[in-house]
Amino acid sequence: MPNALDQFLEPIIDDIAANKFVLILGPDLYANYIDGKIWNRTEYFKKIEADNKGSFFADNDELFSTNKDNYLSIAGKVKDYYNTDSDIKLLELIASIRFSLIINTSPDISLENFLRPREPNAAFEYFEGEIDKKKNLICDIEHPVIYNVFGRVDKRQSLIINHEEMFKHLTLLLPKDSFPLAINETIRKAGSFLFLGFKFDSWKYQILSYKILDINEGRDQQNNIRLSSTMYSLENPVNIIMTAAAGIKFRNESPAQLLEGIIKKARIVGNMANIFRNIEKKKQYFTYLSYSHQNENCPNLQVMVDIFLDSIDKENQKNQNGDIIDTIYDKRDLQYGQSIDSFMTRIGTGKIAVLIVSDKYLKSVYCMTEALRVYKYNNEDQRVFIILIEDRLMLANEENGKMVIDENGYKIHWKNLYAEQARKSKREDKVRLENYFEISEFIDDFIRKIDDYKSFRICDADYNEGENTINKLSTTKEFEFIKFMDALVSKVKED
């Protein structure tokens, strides 16, 4: 019996094959690697704001308020961000499918750079105003179009930095016939749209979605499917607006999971060879390691971190063919204030998340926020692994006498934290308060589902006293950990 995701994907696959599908790439799709760090767009732009006195970055507008003195500096830094390498695994997934039309809402051209040598018939265009009406394009599987609607990084005059530039751009963009004829026709006949990397908090993306749907005014509402991966719950006000007004149906899968789902489902359906493009995959693998750094009361936690990192190093050393697994963990790789979303929204082939769960982890707002993000992007493809540090956990007796984690005790802990925050919070702390409430509602379910993940359990008795970190595990536990790591390595390298 097909699952819910399969049922969503079936009409999408049919529409791709029939040139009746539009992929729309959002601004949150890629996190870029700059100076050895992972930066999501908002955090990097806030850094630009901090480095340029007198400037202001409006989060929801995604635009800067600038003066003449710092405009060129800001524009240069924005270009630097979009000129860096994007996520190769996501690029491979997108390029593997012959989408007839891809609308790109950021000035990023990494997809163009990736596709250009691999697809000689592709057209790479960007919105330029009145002249777009005269552009003569073909838009189908054999002649795909990648269309940037908000400028492109290599065309300085097209970059949109401030509100004045955006206002002028939207004045030209909003008329129904402003796109090239072939793009308008593809949108008009489209049966399905897939939005990836959107949160729809920004008004300009809401406006763009309405424009696209307005062009597609003759659509059959029953058959027209619009999906968007989102880190917010469906109770989020913006999601409610976009669901009611635009008919968008939200999914919790990450962009990578949705794209992988399309590929897997199309191969099962058969007779769909024409929608695939042969892409030689780059061997690039990542593990995201999430754990509490407040480990003064749990010294074995750091030992476990060291054992895990050492095991990854050993795996890399024995690979003679250049297969390297890079490990990302927040204290070293993520800038302060970033969440796991920079990694989790892109989790899929070539990537896994490893959570080292301890008592401190279950009581840390930062760690539990990461766990919440992992949970929201679900684990159907089993790319989440857990190492459970059993010492110092709050435990409870089950009826059969077996000791288990006291999920109710942790729930009460978070309910109390939420109540304390509610008493202290000011109006501007609303997001923080909502985060505490969401964790308090999630914690017991997360604990119950720990066994659903591939897990390895460790306690004080499983360590050899006086041994160094590498030889710390007892013989029995070392054997179990080797099996755990073998499963982990196999999954991260799985196509």
Side-chain angles (χ1 to χ4, degrees):
M1 183 174 178
N3 59 34
L5 180 58
D6 282 344
Q7 292 174 340
F8 269 104
L9 295 179
E10 283 177 4
I12 285 179
I13 293 165
D14 291 338
D15 285 338
I16 292 172
N19 292 319
K20 296 175 62 179
F21 178 86
V22 179
L23 177 66
I24 302 131
L25 304 181
D28 295 311
L29 193 62
Y30 302 120
N32 290 346
Y33 301 88
I34 304 171
D35 298 330
K37 302 289 185 182
I38 297 178
W39 289 91
N40 67 30
R41 179 179 39 85
T42 299
E43 290 298 325
Y44 191 76
F45 286 0
K46 284 184 176 180
K47 181 179 183 299
I48 295 175
E49 173 192 39
D51 292 341
N52 289 269
K53 293 182 179 180
S55 68
F56 173 73
F57 175 65
D59 294 37
N60 283 352
D61 297 350
E62 298 173 344
L63 297 168
F64 287 90
S65 172
T66 66
N67 54 45
K68 292 180 180 179
D69 293 334
N70 58 27
Y71 180 89
L72 291 178
S73 173
I74 290 174
K77 291 296 184 181
V78 169
K79 287 182 66 175
D80 288 345
Y81 177 79
Y82 287 116
N83 270 324
T84 54
D85 291 333
S86 291
D87 190 327
I88 186 67
K89 288 297 179 182
L90 267 179
L91 294 176
E92 288 174 349
L93 283 171
I94 296 169
S96 295
I97 308 169
R98 293 183 180 274
F99 299 112
S100 56
L101 175 60
I102 298 176
I103 294 177
N104 189 14
T105 66
S106 87
D108 185 285
I109 58 170
S110 55
L111 179 60
E112 174 179 338
N113 292 335
F114 187 82
L115 260 183
R116 190 176 285 278
R118 295 169 172 84
E119 183 53 83
N121 294 326
F124 305 96
E125 292 288 345
Y126 69 103
F127 180 73
E128 299 179 81
E130 287 294 323
I131 68 172
D132 274 40
K133 297 177 185 178
K134 300 176 183 178
K135 290 179 179 176
N136 187 19
L137 300 173
I138 302 173
C139 192
D140 57 33
I141 284 181
E142 300 300 325
H143 304 86
V145 176
I146 290 81
Y147 188 60
N148 282 40
V149 293
F150 291 120
R152 47 182 291 151
V153 70
D154 61 338
K155 303 292 183 182
R156 171 62 200 92
Q157 74 281 5
S158 73
L159 275 183
I160 302 169
I161 307 296
N162 57 37
H163 291 79
E164 181 181 1
E165 291 170 343
M166 179 57 71
F167 178 79
K168 291 178 180 178
H169 190 84
L170 287 176
T171 301
L172 298 172
L173 182 70
L174 287 181
K176 189 182 296 188
D177 62 348
S178 63
F179 290 158
L181 178 62
I183 291 177
N184 274 331
E185 287 300 315
T186 301
I187 294 173
R188 187 170 290 117
K189 69 180 183 182
S192 303
F193 298 90
L194 176 59
F195 294 85
L196 293 181
F198 286 88
K199 292 193 287 284
F200 291 109
D201 291 62
S202 174
W203 52 269
K204 64 183 178 184
Y205 301 121
Q206 295 179 33
I207 288 174
L208 177 65
S209 67
Y210 288 133
K211 172 184 170 63
I212 290 171
L213 301 184
D214 190 37
I215 294 173
N216 187 248
E217 61 185 353
R219 65 191 183 278
D220 182 348
Q221 290 283 6
Q222 290 286 348
N223 297 326
N224 203 279
I225 299 174
R226 304 177 186 88
L227 308 179
S228 174
S229 58
T230 174
M231 73 176 188
Y232 295 112
S233 66
L234 294 183
E235 286 72 33
N236 179 275
V238 175
N239 290 0
I240 292 172
I241 291 169
M242 297 306 291
T243 300
I248 290 176
K249 301 176 183 178
F250 289 88
R251 301 290 304 185
N252 273 334
E253 291 85 2
S254 73
Q257 287 171 320
L258 285 172
L259 292 166
E260 287 170 356
I262 291 173
I263 293 171
K264 290 175 183 176
K265 184 65 179 176
R267 295 194 192 284
I268 293 172
V269 169
N271 299 319
M272 291 288 177
N274 66 318
I275 76 168
F276 293 116
R277 186 182 288 112
N278 290 325
I279 299 293
E280 184 177 352
K281 302 289 180 66
K282 184 176 180 180
K283 293 180 178 179
Q284 186 181 47
Y285 309 108
F286 292 95
T287 63
Y288 182 96
L289 187 60
S290 172
Y291 67 98
S292 170
H293 299 287
Q294 298 177 354
N295 57 14
E296 62 275 7
N297 293 324
C298 189
N300 284 333
L301 189 149
Q302 187 58 50
V303 173
M304 196 67 245
V305 171
D306 293 339
I307 290 173
F308 176 81
L309 295 175
D310 181 70
S311 298
I312 293 293
D313 286 341
K314 286 180 177 177
E315 178 64 30
N316 288 336
Q317 288 169 15
K318 69 184 186 185
N319 284 323
Q320 302 298 318
N321 56 1
D323 294 3
I324 298 296
I325 302 174
D326 287 324
T327 302
I328 299 167
Y329 49 104
D330 56 5
K331 192 171 184 179
R332 184 189 70 179
D333 292 297
L334 293 182
Q335 299 298 313
Y336 178 78
Q338 283 185 293
S339 74
I340 196 174
D341 293 293
S342 294
F343 184 86
M344 283 308 300
T345 56
R346 297 147 191 91
I347 197 170
T349 300
K351 300 174 184 178
I352 57 172
V354 180
L355 282 56
I356 302 184
V357 177
S358 61
D359 176 68
K360 285 287 187 181
Y361 191 101
L362 293 172
K363 293 177 179 176
S364 163
V365 64
Y366 190 79
C367 292
M368 287 309 301
T369 297
E370 293 190 336
L372 184 60
R373 299 296 186 247
V374 171
Y375 180 81
K376 282 196 172 184
Y377 291 116
N378 76 47
N379 194 33
E380 285 187 7
D381 50 1
Q382 296 183 311
R383 294 192 172 273
V384 179
F385 289 69
I386 286 183
I387 298 173
L388 182 66
I389 308 291
E390 294 181 334
D391 300 304
R392 300 167 184 81
L393 288 173
M394 295 169 61
L395 298 174
N397 280 305
E398 276 193 333
E399 290 182 4
N400 60 7
K402 180 183 176 183
M403 298 300 291
V404 296
I405 301 175
D406 182 7
E407 60 192 56
N408 189 54
Y410 284 103
K411 188 175 184 69
I412 292 172
H413 169 82
W414 280 101
K415 289 286 187 184
N416 290 339
L417 281 180
Y418 170 70
E420 182 182 347
Q421 286 292 319
R423 286 194 299 271
K424 298 191 304 187
S425 285
K426 302 175 182 177
R427 290 186 63 183
E428 58 266 26
D429 294 326
K430 182 181 178 182
V431 172
R432 177 189 290 266
L433 185 60
E434 288 176 348
N435 195 36
Y436 275 84
F437 178 76
E438 200 167 11
I439 293 171
S440 71
E441 293 293 299
F442 159 73
I443 182 72
D444 54 341
D445 196 28
F446 172 69
I447 291 173
R448 285 196 298 271
K449 289 183 177 292
I450 283 178
D451 286 333
D452 292 344
Y453 298 99
K454 293 181 181 178
S455 60
F456 172 77
R457 294 171 178 253
I458 194 80
C459 67
D460 276 340
D462 297 320
Y463 293 99
N464 289 320
E465 286 297 326
E467 297 289 339
N468 60 34
T469 298
I470 297 173
N471 302 315
K472 193 79 173 171
L473 294 179
S474 65
T475 302
T476 301
K477 275 297 172 179
E478 184 178 7
F479 177 73
E480 290 181 21
F481 186 67
I482 289 172
K483 290 204 308 184
F484 173 81
M485 289 301 297
D486 285 345
L488 184 151
V489 170
S490 177
K491 175 57 69 172
V492 78
K493 294 184 177 180
E494 183 182 276
D495 287 335

